[in-house]
Amino acid sequence: MNTEMKYTPLSDLSGGGASETKLRIAVQKSGRLYDESVKLLNECGIELRNVKDRLKTVSDTFPMEVFFLRDDDIPQYVEDGVADIGIVGENVLYEKNKAADVVEKLGFGKCRLSIAVQRSQTYEGVQNLDGKRIATSYPFLVSEFLKKQNIIAEIHEISGSVEIAPGIGLADVVVDLVSSGSTLLMNGLKEVETILQSQAVLIKNKTLNKQQEILLEKLLFRIKAVKKAKRNKYVLMNAPNDKLQRIIALLPGMKSPTVLPLAETGWSSVHSVLSEDEFWEKIEQLKAAGAEGILVVPIEKMVM
Ligand code: ATP
Ligand code: ZN
Protein backbone atom coordinates (compact mmCIF):
# COMPACT_ATOMS: atom_id res chain seq x y z
CA MET A 1 0.00 0.00 0.00
CA ASN A 2 1.32 3.44 -0.85
CA THR A 3 1.23 5.46 2.34
CA GLU A 4 3.18 8.40 1.03
CA MET A 5 1.33 11.61 1.84
CA LYS A 6 1.08 14.43 -0.64
CA TYR A 7 0.37 17.11 1.97
CA THR A 8 1.82 17.93 5.35
CA PRO A 9 -0.45 16.39 7.97
CA LEU A 10 -2.45 19.02 9.92
CA SER A 11 -0.62 18.14 13.11
CA ASP A 12 2.53 19.44 11.46
CA LEU A 13 1.15 22.93 10.81
CA SER A 14 3.29 24.48 13.51
CA GLY A 15 6.25 23.97 11.25
CA GLY A 16 8.04 22.13 14.03
CA GLY A 17 10.18 19.46 12.47
CA ALA A 18 9.39 20.53 8.94
CA SER A 19 12.56 20.85 6.91
CA GLU A 20 11.50 23.63 4.54
CA THR A 21 11.60 27.27 5.72
CA LYS A 22 8.18 28.86 5.54
CA LEU A 23 7.47 32.55 5.54
CA ARG A 24 5.04 33.15 8.40
CA ILE A 25 2.53 35.90 7.70
CA ALA A 26 0.03 37.47 10.12
CA VAL A 27 -3.27 38.52 8.57
CA GLN A 28 -6.47 39.94 10.12
CA LYS A 29 -8.76 37.10 11.15
CA SER A 30 -11.99 38.83 10.18
CA GLY A 31 -12.85 42.41 9.42
CA ARG A 32 -12.17 45.03 6.83
CA LEU A 33 -8.70 43.82 5.82
CA TYR A 34 -9.41 40.08 5.69
CA ASP A 35 -10.90 39.68 2.19
CA GLU A 36 -8.38 41.91 0.44
CA SER A 37 -5.44 40.30 2.26
CA VAL A 38 -6.43 36.77 1.25
CA LYS A 39 -7.27 37.98 -2.27
CA LEU A 40 -3.83 39.56 -2.62
CA LEU A 41 -2.14 36.32 -1.57
CA ASN A 42 -4.30 34.38 -4.06
CA GLU A 43 -3.45 36.83 -6.84
CA CYS A 44 0.20 36.19 -6.01
CA GLY A 45 -0.39 32.50 -6.69
CA ILE A 46 -0.54 31.63 -2.98
CA GLU A 47 -3.54 29.39 -2.45
CA LEU A 48 -4.47 28.79 1.17
CA ARG A 49 -5.77 25.54 2.52
CA ASN A 50 -9.05 25.52 4.56
CA VAL A 51 -9.19 29.21 5.41
CA LYS A 52 -12.60 29.15 7.10
CA ASP A 53 -12.61 29.63 10.88
CA ARG A 54 -8.97 28.67 11.22
CA LEU A 55 -6.34 30.30 13.38
CA LYS A 56 -3.61 29.22 11.02
CA THR A 57 -3.13 27.48 7.75
CA VAL A 58 -0.49 26.73 5.15
CA SER A 59 -0.18 27.13 1.43
CA ASP A 60 0.50 24.25 -0.92
CA THR A 61 1.67 26.60 -3.65
CA PHE A 62 4.17 28.77 -1.72
CA PRO A 63 6.26 28.06 1.38
CA MET A 64 4.00 30.12 3.60
CA GLU A 65 2.24 29.69 6.91
CA VAL A 66 -0.62 32.10 7.66
CA PHE A 67 -1.73 33.19 11.15
CA PHE A 68 -5.16 34.78 11.47
CA LEU A 69 -5.17 37.37 14.28
CA ARG A 70 -6.87 40.52 15.53
CA ASP A 71 -5.34 43.39 13.61
CA ASP A 72 -4.32 45.08 16.89
CA ASP A 73 -2.01 42.16 17.72
CA ILE A 74 -0.25 41.95 14.35
CA PRO A 75 2.50 44.57 14.99
CA GLN A 76 3.46 42.83 18.24
CA TYR A 77 3.62 39.38 16.63
CA VAL A 78 5.85 40.74 13.88
CA GLU A 79 8.10 42.64 16.30
CA ASP A 80 8.52 39.48 18.38
CA GLY A 81 9.26 37.38 15.31
CA VAL A 82 6.38 35.00 15.98
CA ALA A 83 5.32 36.05 12.48
CA ASP A 84 7.96 37.13 9.94
CA ILE A 85 5.68 39.50 8.07
CA GLY A 86 2.16 40.87 8.42
CA ILE A 87 -0.58 42.85 6.71
CA VAL A 88 -1.99 45.65 8.85
CA GLY A 89 -3.33 49.21 8.58
CA GLU A 90 -0.81 52.03 9.07
CA ASN A 91 -3.18 53.41 11.72
CA VAL A 92 -2.72 50.29 13.86
CA LEU A 93 0.99 49.97 13.12
CA TYR A 94 1.79 53.53 14.21
CA GLU A 95 -0.60 53.46 17.17
CA LYS A 96 1.05 50.32 18.55
CA ASN A 97 4.47 51.88 17.91
CA LYS A 98 6.19 48.52 17.50
CA ALA A 99 9.53 47.82 15.87
CA ALA A 100 8.63 46.50 12.43
CA ASP A 101 9.57 47.79 8.98
CA VAL A 102 7.07 48.77 6.30
CA VAL A 103 7.96 46.86 3.14
CA GLU A 104 5.19 47.89 0.77
CA LYS A 105 1.99 49.93 0.70
CA LEU A 106 -0.77 47.66 -0.51
CA GLY A 107 -3.36 50.13 -1.82
CA PHE A 108 -6.40 48.82 0.07
CA GLY A 109 -7.98 49.54 3.48
CA LYS A 110 -7.68 53.24 2.79
CA CYS A 111 -8.99 55.54 5.50
CA ARG A 112 -7.90 58.52 7.57
CA LEU A 113 -7.66 59.20 11.27
CA SER A 114 -9.54 62.44 11.76
CA ILE A 115 -10.65 64.87 14.42
CA ALA A 116 -14.39 65.56 14.47
CA VAL A 117 -16.52 67.91 16.54
CA GLN A 118 -20.26 68.41 16.89
CA ARG A 119 -21.71 70.14 13.88
CA SER A 120 -22.99 73.05 15.98
CA GLN A 121 -19.51 73.67 17.42
CA THR A 122 -17.31 76.33 15.86
CA TYR A 123 -13.83 75.17 14.98
CA GLU A 124 -11.13 77.58 13.85
CA GLY A 125 -8.03 75.47 14.40
CA VAL A 126 -6.20 73.09 16.71
CA GLN A 127 -6.08 75.75 19.46
CA ASN A 128 -9.81 75.05 19.93
CA LEU A 129 -8.87 71.61 21.28
CA ASP A 130 -7.20 73.10 24.35
CA GLY A 131 -8.80 71.79 27.55
CA LYS A 132 -11.24 69.58 25.64
CA ARG A 133 -12.16 65.94 26.32
CA ILE A 134 -11.19 63.79 23.34
CA ALA A 135 -12.64 60.30 22.87
CA THR A 136 -10.54 57.94 20.74
CA SER A 137 -9.27 54.40 20.23
CA TYR A 138 -5.92 55.91 19.21
CA PRO A 139 -4.51 57.44 22.43
CA PHE A 140 -0.88 57.23 21.32
CA LEU A 141 -1.36 58.92 17.95
CA VAL A 142 -3.63 61.56 19.46
CA SER A 143 -1.22 62.40 22.27
CA GLU A 144 1.67 62.63 19.78
CA PHE A 145 -0.40 64.97 17.64
CA LEU A 146 -1.37 67.17 20.62
CA LYS A 147 2.23 67.29 21.84
CA LYS A 148 3.42 68.48 18.45
CA GLN A 149 0.75 71.17 18.40
CA ASN A 150 1.42 72.23 22.01
CA ILE A 151 -2.16 71.49 23.03
CA ILE A 152 -3.19 70.14 26.41
CA ALA A 153 -6.38 68.08 26.32
CA GLU A 154 -7.87 65.09 28.12
CA ILE A 155 -7.75 61.83 26.18
CA HIS A 156 -10.47 59.27 26.93
CA GLU A 157 -9.58 55.92 25.45
CA ILE A 158 -12.59 53.91 24.31
CA SER A 159 -12.43 50.80 22.23
CA GLY A 160 -15.45 51.17 19.95
CA SER A 161 -18.37 53.39 18.86
CA VAL A 162 -16.26 56.47 19.46
CA GLU A 163 -18.60 58.58 17.36
CA ILE A 164 -21.41 58.47 19.93
CA ALA A 165 -19.23 59.94 22.72
CA PRO A 166 -20.18 63.62 22.20
CA GLY A 167 -23.90 62.77 21.94
CA ILE A 168 -23.89 61.06 25.33
CA GLY A 169 -21.79 63.74 27.01
CA LEU A 170 -18.64 61.63 27.31
CA ALA A 171 -16.43 63.91 25.25
CA ASP A 172 -16.37 67.16 23.27
CA VAL A 173 -14.25 65.89 20.42
CA VAL A 174 -13.61 62.51 18.79
CA VAL A 175 -10.64 61.17 16.86
CA ASP A 176 -11.65 58.21 14.75
CA LEU A 177 -11.14 56.43 11.43
CA VAL A 178 -13.10 57.88 8.55
CA SER A 179 -13.50 56.64 5.01
CA SER A 180 -16.66 58.11 3.49
CA GLY A 181 -17.57 60.29 6.47
CA SER A 182 -21.16 59.00 6.60
CA THR A 183 -20.82 57.63 10.17
CA LEU A 184 -19.75 61.05 11.41
CA LEU A 185 -22.60 62.70 9.56
CA MET A 186 -25.16 60.30 11.01
CA ASN A 187 -23.94 61.18 14.51
CA GLY A 188 -24.12 64.94 14.02
CA LEU A 189 -20.36 65.35 13.76
CA LYS A 190 -18.14 67.19 11.28
CA GLU A 191 -14.57 66.32 10.33
CA VAL A 192 -12.23 69.24 11.03
CA GLU A 193 -8.67 67.88 10.88
CA THR A 194 -6.82 64.80 9.61
CA ILE A 195 -4.07 63.32 11.77
CA LEU A 196 -3.03 60.42 9.55
CA GLN A 197 -3.77 59.03 6.07
CA SER A 198 -3.76 55.25 6.25
CA GLN A 199 -3.81 52.14 4.09
CA ALA A 200 -2.88 48.50 4.52
CA VAL A 201 0.86 47.83 4.46
CA LEU A 202 3.09 44.79 4.39
CA ILE A 203 5.39 44.85 7.41
CA LYS A 204 8.35 42.70 8.34
CA ASN A 205 10.33 41.71 11.38
CA LYS A 206 13.59 43.64 11.65
CA THR A 207 15.88 40.61 11.72
CA LEU A 208 14.77 38.09 9.13
CA ASN A 209 17.27 35.41 8.23
CA LYS A 210 18.64 34.97 4.73
CA GLN A 211 16.11 32.35 3.69
CA GLN A 212 13.20 34.38 4.98
CA GLU A 213 14.49 37.46 3.13
CA ILE A 214 14.66 35.43 -0.09
CA LEU A 215 11.06 34.30 0.34
CA LEU A 216 9.96 37.86 1.14
CA GLU A 217 11.69 39.12 -2.02
CA LYS A 218 9.83 36.49 -4.03
CA LEU A 219 6.51 37.54 -2.49
CA LEU A 220 7.26 41.22 -3.03
CA PHE A 221 8.10 40.65 -6.68
CA ARG A 222 4.66 39.08 -7.14
CA ILE A 223 2.84 41.79 -5.16
CA LYS A 224 4.43 44.47 -7.31
CA ALA A 225 3.39 42.68 -10.50
CA VAL A 226 -0.20 42.41 -9.24
CA LYS A 227 -0.30 46.08 -8.18
CA LYS A 228 1.14 47.26 -11.47
CA ALA A 229 -1.38 45.21 -13.44
CA LYS A 230 -4.23 46.82 -11.49
CA ARG A 231 -3.02 50.27 -12.43
CA ASN A 232 -2.98 49.40 -16.16
CA LYS A 233 -5.36 48.25 -18.88
CA TYR A 234 -4.69 46.42 -22.11
CA VAL A 235 -6.27 48.32 -25.00
CA LEU A 236 -7.01 47.00 -28.49
CA MET A 237 -8.39 49.14 -31.32
CA ASN A 238 -8.89 49.18 -35.06
CA ALA A 239 -7.17 51.95 -36.99
CA PRO A 240 -7.31 52.98 -40.65
CA ASN A 241 -3.75 52.76 -41.97
CA ASP A 242 -3.68 56.40 -43.08
CA LYS A 243 -4.26 57.45 -39.44
CA LEU A 244 -1.91 54.90 -37.89
CA GLN A 245 0.96 57.31 -37.31
CA ARG A 246 -1.22 59.78 -35.40
CA ILE A 247 -2.72 57.02 -33.28
CA ILE A 248 0.64 55.44 -32.48
CA ALA A 249 1.99 58.84 -31.45
CA LEU A 250 -0.71 59.06 -28.77
CA LEU A 251 0.25 55.77 -27.16
CA PRO A 252 2.76 55.61 -24.30
CA GLY A 253 6.36 55.25 -25.39
CA MET A 254 7.34 52.37 -23.09
CA LYS A 255 7.79 50.05 -26.06
CA SER A 256 6.15 50.72 -29.39
CA PRO A 257 2.61 49.31 -29.62
CA THR A 258 1.85 46.04 -31.40
CA VAL A 259 0.40 46.69 -34.85
CA LEU A 260 -1.19 43.82 -36.80
CA PRO A 261 -2.87 43.93 -40.21
CA LEU A 262 -6.62 43.26 -40.21
CA ALA A 263 -8.34 41.02 -42.77
CA GLU A 264 -9.92 44.13 -44.25
CA THR A 265 -7.29 45.92 -46.33
CA GLY A 266 -6.34 49.40 -45.25
CA TRP A 267 -6.97 48.64 -41.55
CA SER A 268 -4.77 47.56 -38.65
CA SER A 269 -5.27 46.38 -35.12
CA VAL A 270 -3.27 48.33 -32.53
CA HIS A 271 -2.55 46.93 -29.04
CA SER A 272 -1.10 48.87 -26.15
CA VAL A 273 -1.12 49.31 -22.37
CA LEU A 274 -2.63 52.42 -20.79
CA SER A 275 -2.26 53.48 -17.18
CA GLU A 276 -5.27 54.33 -15.03
CA ASP A 277 -4.42 58.01 -14.53
CA GLU A 278 -4.34 58.88 -18.24
CA PHE A 279 -6.87 56.29 -19.36
CA TRP A 280 -10.02 58.29 -20.21
CA GLU A 281 -8.17 61.20 -21.69
CA LYS A 282 -6.20 58.89 -24.01
CA ILE A 283 -9.30 56.98 -25.07
CA GLU A 284 -10.98 60.24 -26.12
CA GLN A 285 -7.89 61.34 -28.03
CA LEU A 286 -7.60 57.96 -29.75
CA LYS A 287 -11.23 58.13 -30.85
CA ALA A 288 -10.76 61.66 -32.12
CA ALA A 289 -7.66 60.51 -34.04
CA GLY A 290 -9.71 57.85 -35.88
CA ALA A 291 -9.44 54.71 -33.75
CA GLU A 292 -12.54 52.50 -33.79
CA GLY A 293 -13.84 49.45 -31.94
CA ILE A 294 -11.74 50.17 -28.87
CA LEU A 295 -11.61 47.20 -26.48
CA VAL A 296 -10.32 47.53 -22.93
CA VAL A 297 -9.16 44.40 -21.10
CA PRO A 298 -8.00 44.03 -17.49
CA ILE A 299 -4.45 42.79 -17.00
CA GLU A 300 -3.84 40.03 -14.48
CA LYS A 301 -0.09 40.41 -13.90
CA MET A 302 2.57 42.73 -15.25
CA VAL A 303 6.14 41.55 -14.97
CA MET A 304 8.70 44.11 -16.07
P1 ATP B 1 -10.21 43.31 14.85
O1 ATP B 1 -11.25 42.39 15.33
O2 ATP B 1 -9.22 42.62 13.95
O3 ATP B 1 -9.54 44.08 15.97
P2 ATP B 1 -11.27 45.91 14.09
O4 ATP B 1 -12.70 46.02 14.46
O5 ATP B 1 -10.24 46.57 14.91
O6 ATP B 1 -10.92 44.35 13.90
P3 ATP B 1 -11.86 46.66 11.32
O7 ATP B 1 -13.05 47.54 11.52
O8 ATP B 1 -12.04 45.35 10.66
O9 ATP B 1 -10.99 46.47 12.66
O10 ATP B 1 -10.81 47.52 10.49
C1 ATP B 1 -9.53 47.02 10.21
C2 ATP B 1 -8.74 48.10 9.51
O11 ATP B 1 -9.37 48.48 8.31
C3 ATP B 1 -8.58 49.41 10.25
O12 ATP B 1 -7.60 49.36 11.27
C4 ATP B 1 -8.16 50.32 9.12
O13 ATP B 1 -6.79 50.16 8.83
C5 ATP B 1 -8.96 49.79 7.92
N1 ATP B 1 -10.14 50.64 7.55
C6 ATP B 1 -10.42 51.10 6.33
N2 ATP B 1 -11.51 51.87 6.31
C7 ATP B 1 -11.96 51.93 7.54
C8 ATP B 1 -13.08 52.58 8.17
N3 ATP B 1 -13.93 53.33 7.48
N4 ATP B 1 -13.26 52.38 9.48
C9 ATP B 1 -12.44 51.60 10.17
N5 ATP B 1 -11.35 50.98 9.63
C10 ATP B 1 -11.10 51.13 8.34
ZN1 ZN C 1 -8.74 45.94 15.82
Side-chain angles (χ1 to χ4, degrees):
M1 189 173 72
N2 183 4
T3 53
E4 194 189 338
M5 252 182 295
K6 191 163 170 227
Y7 300 116
T8 326
L10 290 180
S11 57
D12 259 359
L13 282 187
S14 67
S19 52
E20 180 194 36
T21 297
K22 286 193 173 70
L23 196 60
R24 297 160 304 166
I25 186 171
V27 167
Q28 191 189 22
K29 179 169 168 44
S30 64
R32 291 174 200 258
L33 300 181
Y34 171 82
D35 285 341
E36 291 277 1
S37 301
V38 171
K39 188 170 137 229
L40 176 66
L41 294 177
N42 289 162
E43 285 168 340
C44 289
I46 303 171
E47 303 295 335
L48 304 181
R49 214 195 290 171
N50 301 326
V51 177
K52 267 241 148 312
D53 302 321
R54 299 291 296 271
L55 296 179
K56 59 183 181 178
T57 188
V58 287
S59 174
D60 296 319
T61 55
F62 193 89
M64 179 176 276
E65 191 171 8
V66 185
F67 301 146
F68 296 105
L69 302 165
R70 284 200 58 197
D71 65 346
D72 311 66
D73 297 331
I74 291 174
Q76 182 75 62
Y77 273 74
V78 173
E79 178 183 289
D80 292 347
V82 175
D84 306 314
I85 59 173
I87 296 177
V88 71
E90 290 173 293
N91 54 313
V92 171
L93 177 66
Y94 299 134
E95 172 64 26
K96 299 297 175 190
N97 198 22
K98 299 291 176 203
D101 293 335
V102 172
V103 187
E104 181 81 4
K105 297 199 178 214
L106 299 175
F108 61 85
K110 286 191 177 166
C111 57
R112 54 196 187 273
L113 186 64
S114 286
I115 303 176
V117 299
Q118 281 179 304
R119 223 175 306 153
S120 55
Q121 222 171 306
T122 49
Y123 183 89
E124 285 134 358
V126 282
Q127 69 276 8
N128 288 160
L129 299 173
D130 234 331
K132 293 275 165 44
R133 295 166 304 160
I134 305 177
T136 187
S137 308
Y138 293 86
F140 177 73
L141 289 176
V142 173
S143 74
E144 290 290 294
F145 174 81
L146 295 175
K147 240 187 274 167
K148 226 184 277 163
Q149 305 284 340
N150 271 321
I151 304 288
I152 296 179
E154 255 177 64
I155 298 174
H156 291 256
E157 182 179 353
I158 44 181
S159 57
S161 305
V162 172
E163 64 285 350
I164 64 163
I168 60 172
L170 188 71
D172 314 299
V173 177
V174 305
V175 177
D176 203 5
L177 291 182
V178 183
S179 45
S180 70
S182 59
T183 310
L184 293 181
L185 213 65
M186 264 171 10
N187 287 281
L189 301 172
K190 61 179 177 189
E191 192 178 351
V192 292
E193 207 90 56
T194 296
I195 290 187
L196 177 79
Q197 294 284 351
S198 178
Q199 61 176 286
V201 287
L202 183 72
I203 59 171
K204 68 162 196 156
N205 173 272
K206 285 193 174 286
T207 51
L208 294 184
N209 68 34
K210 186 91 183 88
Q211 268 175 312
Q212 292 162 332
E213 286 285 0
I214 290 170
L215 288 176
L216 175 57
E217 271 311 306
K218 212 167 156 175
L219 172 66
L220 205 52
F221 175 77
R222 297 187 188 185
I223 289 177
K224 285 181 176 158
V226 169
K227 275 176 66 184
K228 195 161 175 60
K230 281 189 184 152
R231 288 197 305 271
N232 290 278
K233 300 268 180 263
Y234 195 74
V235 184
L236 306 90
M237 69 207 87
N238 295 335
N241 287 347
D242 56 336
K243 295 183 176 148
L244 212 47
Q245 284 318 311
R246 266 183 69 202
I247 288 170
I248 289 172
L250 285 169
L251 295 167
M254 198 172 64
K255 293 258 164 67
S256 40
T258 307
V259 180
L260 304 164
L262 286 183
E264 190 178 335
T265 46
W267 283 80
S268 296
S269 170
V270 181
H271 303 196
S272 186
V273 172
L274 287 183
S275 87
E276 202 173 61
D277 12 301
E278 55 172 8
F279 179 75
W280 286 112
E281 207 179 313
K282 282 284 180 202
I283 293 289
E284 280 159 24
Q285 292 170 355
L286 288 165
K287 264 190 85 185
E292 289 180 16
I294 302 174
L295 278 183
V296 181
V297 188
I299 300 172
E300 204 178 280
K301 311 275 188 301
M302 254 176 103
V303 181
M304 308 307 280

